[in-house]
Amino acid sequence: MPIIFFLFLSGCQDKTVNEEVSEDPFPESGIMEGITEAHNQIRRAHGVPDLTWDQDMVDLSIEWIEYLDQENNCEMEHNWDSPYGENLFWATYETTNDVVVESWASEEEYYNYDTNECAEGEMCGHYTQIVWEETKLVGCAMTICGNNGGYLWMCNYDPIGNIVGQQPY
């Protein structure tokens, strides 16, 4: 089954992907529409500057989830060679960008800012990547897995967050 990517730039139906759309504050659309704003709502709650949608981060996300679909049975695995931050999400059902971002952000309950640690046995790195103050760019993609019809989402972040010994904000 071929990989299907849902990636469109709003207001760009008659433009090439390389053309900049400066009027649109959320230049992603289609299945990704609003995913930057979903991130930024969480960031604003912590006084962290907004992220900007970035096509290079989108391209990295597409490349990695294509690899995972074709070579890794669509199982989630981080690209440990990447110099960027990343969050992955997999579901057996169609969902929305808000649900995806909220699933990562829900890890906030396991993060202790004072100790800069996750609760024992819990994950919180997806949340801390979302709110990492030094991160400026985000780009995301989604594919329907050829082997099982599952949905695999990925966002890449630049610069990377979750630096050992540093707090996110």
Side-chain angles (χ1 to χ4, degrees):
M1 179 174 169
I3 295 175
I4 302 168
F5 293 103
F6 298 95
L7 175 65
F8 306 97
L9 297 176
S10 65
C12 291
Q13 291 176 341
D14 59 344
K15 297 181 180 183
T16 66
V17 172
N18 295 327
E19 288 185 80
E20 191 171 291
V21 181
S22 59
E23 265 91 57
D24 188 352
F26 312 113
E28 81 282 0
S29 69
I31 198 73
M32 293 296 128
E33 184 174 357
I35 201 163
T36 305
E37 180 61 14
H39 280 80
N40 288 336
Q41 287 177 3
I42 295 158
R43 292 172 65 87
R44 287 180 202 129
H46 298 285
V48 179
D50 284 357
L51 294 174
T52 301
W53 185 254
D54 183 77
Q55 188 61 42
D56 290 337
M57 296 295 101
V58 172
D59 294 343
L60 288 169
S61 296
I62 291 171
E63 182 180 318
W64 189 249
I65 61 175
E66 180 179 33
Y67 165 78
L68 292 177
D69 185 32
Q70 294 176 354
E71 306 295 331
N72 203 43
N73 204 28
C74 218
E75 292 182 26
M76 289 192 308
E77 180 180 331
H78 287 289
N79 182 355
W80 300 111
D81 295 328
S82 175
Y84 304 105
E86 59 187 50
N87 282 339
L88 292 162
F89 178 91
W90 187 87
T92 58
Y93 52 88
E94 188 173 347
T95 189
T96 66
N97 54 46
D98 289 330
V99 170
V100 172
V101 174
E102 183 52 41
S103 75
W104 296 325
S106 69
E107 294 176 359
E108 179 179 9
E109 70 178 289
Y110 304 119
Y111 177 68
N112 183 320
Y113 187 85
D114 294 331
T115 63
N116 197 30
E117 295 177 344
C118 300
E120 186 174 336
E122 301 294 344
M123 292 179 26
C124 64
H126 301 99
Y127 159 71
T128 54
Q129 177 59 79
I130 289 173
V131 297
W132 200 265
E133 186 170 13
E134 298 304 313
T135 299
K136 307 295 181 215
L137 306 174
V138 64
C140 307
M142 185 275 285
T143 191
I144 301 172
C145 300
N147 68 332
N148 60 21
Y151 296 79
L152 180 61
W153 296 68
M154 179 179 205
C155 291
N156 272 278
Y157 304 86
D158 185 23
I160 193 171
N162 293 331
I163 299 170
V164 175
Q166 294 183 18
Q167 291 177 309
Y169 48 89

